Amino acid sequence: MAVAGIICEYNPFHEGHKYMIRKVREITGADTVVAVMNGDFVQRGAPAVVDKYTRARMALLEGADLVFELPVRYGISSAQDFAYGGILALESLSFVDFFCFGSESGDVAVLEEAGRFLAGASGDLAPFEAELARLVRSGMSYPAAREAAFWKAVRQGSWSECLCGKSDLFAPNNLLGMEYIKAAELLHSRMEPVAVRRAGMGYHERGAGGDGFLSATAIRDNMSGGDFSGIPERARGIFAEYAASYGCFLDPEPFWAACSYAIRSHWDELEQIKDVSAEIAGRFRACLYESVSFADFVSRCKAKHMTMTRICRCVFQVLLGVEKSTERERRLPYIRLLGMRNEAAGCLGRAGDAGETVVVARVSRDRERLDAEGRRKLEQDIRASDIYRGTVMAASGKRLPDEYKRQLITI
């Protein structure tokens, strides 16, 4: 049996995601498709519009066979760490043969060449890293500096012909693809990369028209008015049911009071938070007491050489207590199973490697199989879900079960 893995957010699940699952099966011949999905907070520094259980059910109804949760310490991180965590999760399962991703180009050979370079497998990275550091010091944003340093290395390298003319290489999905390949190289993964060419709107494209599938950005823009266009039929039913029950799709603003309190609570330790530099910590301290909302705070903290996404991500990293770490995990101590199709149950018997990774299907039972460090990391994920759950209940006036009472979704 072939098994293909997808690293995703499904925020929300849409027609493009359904298309990708179908193409993954066609390209790889996989019997089983595994989704490693962000939990209740997403990589760009925001809450998911609906909770992870609702999104997992949507994915299972529309073609995924197993849905696991990406730990929050990777989920709300830079593209590099998000990709590393996703590949680490798939690798930790031990039964996944392919890691698959959307791509603007669909050219996996070019993305492999670039990803291997970024992993240091194609030669000395020191000149690239020195140029990157120089450009950042000059005031360029990190993403722009990284791209410029990369192309300088290409021009000076012996492998430039392969990448010649690839102007879209740093488009959002291509960039993530390179990071997935880089992570697989660092982990010495046996999984094979598969790039599925993106169809429909661009990653950040907005609007109600155009050819092909709506982007998740466009869908999020439209859904506040009750327009769920772009979501497949069965998933749309789950989405509409959630809207009728809770009457709210979350954005960062309802979290502002908790975020501002968390910043005050970490006042002298802000630099210990994962992506918070000394400069960002200083801006947080300078702007907090003048800010009246999440959007106002982020706007005040923003600088020319910083992306808005990084500022948002840092705020939520403070809220969720995601700290810097020198550890590069080689195996996850656990991976949380959110839901499954019954016919995929056989894969779970092959999960983990020599018992190193525990599949957590029921928190109250399976957490006892973890050591102290594993329980500490799992507790961070549970705390993130508790913060999300509490905010939904406050906004909707409706109760939601806590993580210890949640049942595995089965279809």
Side-chain angles (χ1 to χ4, degrees), residues 37-353:
M37 186 187 77
N38 241 346
D40 290 321
F41 295 88
V42 295
Q43 191 263 336
R44 62 190 170 88
V49 292
V50 296
D51 67 74
K52 60 190 178 186
Y53 298 100
T54 302
R55 287 158 37 238
R57 186 177 294 278
M58 293 167 75
L60 291 168
L61 284 172
E62 297 292 354
D65 297 294
L66 294 161
V67 180
F68 294 91
E69 180 180 2
L70 181 65
V72 70
R73 61 187 180 277
Y74 292 110
I76 191 158
S77 294
S78 66
Q80 297 173 65
D81 286 348
F82 175 84
Y84 186 87
I87 295 295
L88 178 63
L90 292 174
E91 186 69 18
S92 295
L93 287 171
S94 300
F95 60 75
V96 180
D97 303 295
F98 305 92
F99 64 91
C100 309
F101 52 89
S103 162
E104 286 83 0
S105 70
D107 192 337
V108 74
V110 169
L111 297 175
E112 279 191 283
E113 183 77 11
R116 284 176 52 79
F117 166 76
L118 293 172
S122 302
D124 184 14
L125 270 181
F128 163 77
E129 292 173 342
E131 178 66 5
L132 172 59
R134 184 189 72 79
L135 292 172
V136 170
R137 286 195 304 271
S138 74
M140 191 178 288
S141 71
Y142 182 85
R146 191 163 183 252
E147 182 174 356
F150 177 88
W151 287 119
K152 183 175 181 179
V154 167
R155 290 192 299 272
Q156 296 176 346
S158 60
W159 43 281
S160 58
E161 185 177 343
C162 174
L163 297 173
C164 182
K166 304 298 181 183
S167 59
D168 67 345
L169 188 61
F170 279 75
N173 292 113
N174 284 344
L175 177 58
L176 262 180
M178 286 190 286
E179 292 295 348
Y180 293 141
I181 291 166
K182 171 186 169 183
E185 187 73 26
L186 292 172
L187 287 164
H188 306 292
S189 174
R190 62 173 183 80
M191 295 186 295
E192 181 180 337
V194 173
V196 177
R197 185 161 189 169
R198 185 181 177 93
M201 280 186 171
Y203 186 81
H204 295 299
E205 194 173 347
R206 291 182 140 92
D211 296 328
F213 312 122
L214 294 178
S215 67
T217 303
I219 291 170
R220 289 193 296 269
D221 285 346
N222 297 339
M223 68 191 188
S224 59
D227 179 0
F228 302 151
S229 300
I231 299 176
E233 184 178 355
R234 285 176 292 183
R236 191 185 310 158
I238 299 296
F239 202 66
E241 181 182 325
Y242 181 94
S245 296
Y246 298 100
C248 62
F249 300 120
L250 290 188
D251 61 33
E253 288 302 342
F255 293 84
W256 171 237
C259 288
S260 61
Y261 177 79
I263 292 169
R264 292 187 191 97
S265 298
H266 290 82
W267 197 256
D268 295 323
E269 299 88 30
L270 286 172
E271 290 86 351
Q272 296 176 20
I273 299 301
K274 189 168 189 178
D275 290 335
V276 177
S277 64
E279 181 182 5
I280 290 176
R283 287 180 175 274
F284 278 17
R285 294 179 184 119
C287 298
L288 181 67
Y289 292 107
E290 301 297 322
S291 303
V292 298
S293 67
F294 186 93
D296 182 39
F297 179 71
V298 170
S299 177
R300 290 173 183 271
C301 291
K302 175 79 173 68
K304 182 179 179 181
H305 61 285
M306 296 177 190
T307 65
M308 192 74 79
T309 295
R310 183 178 179 187
I311 300 295
C312 293
R313 189 184 298 129
C314 287
V315 175
F316 275 100
Q317 286 176 351
V318 175
L319 174 64
L320 303 176
V322 181
E323 296 185 341
K324 288 181 172 68
S325 174
T326 58
E327 173 192 22
R328 175 175 277 172
E329 292 180 280
R330 309 295 299 184
R331 181 73 59 174
L332 289 180
Y334 66 90
I335 184 164
R336 180 83 184 278
L337 178 63
L338 298 177
M340 58 181 284
R341 298 186 72 87
N342 288 321
E343 54 266 34
C347 288
L348 297 177
R350 297 184 284 149
D353 184 3

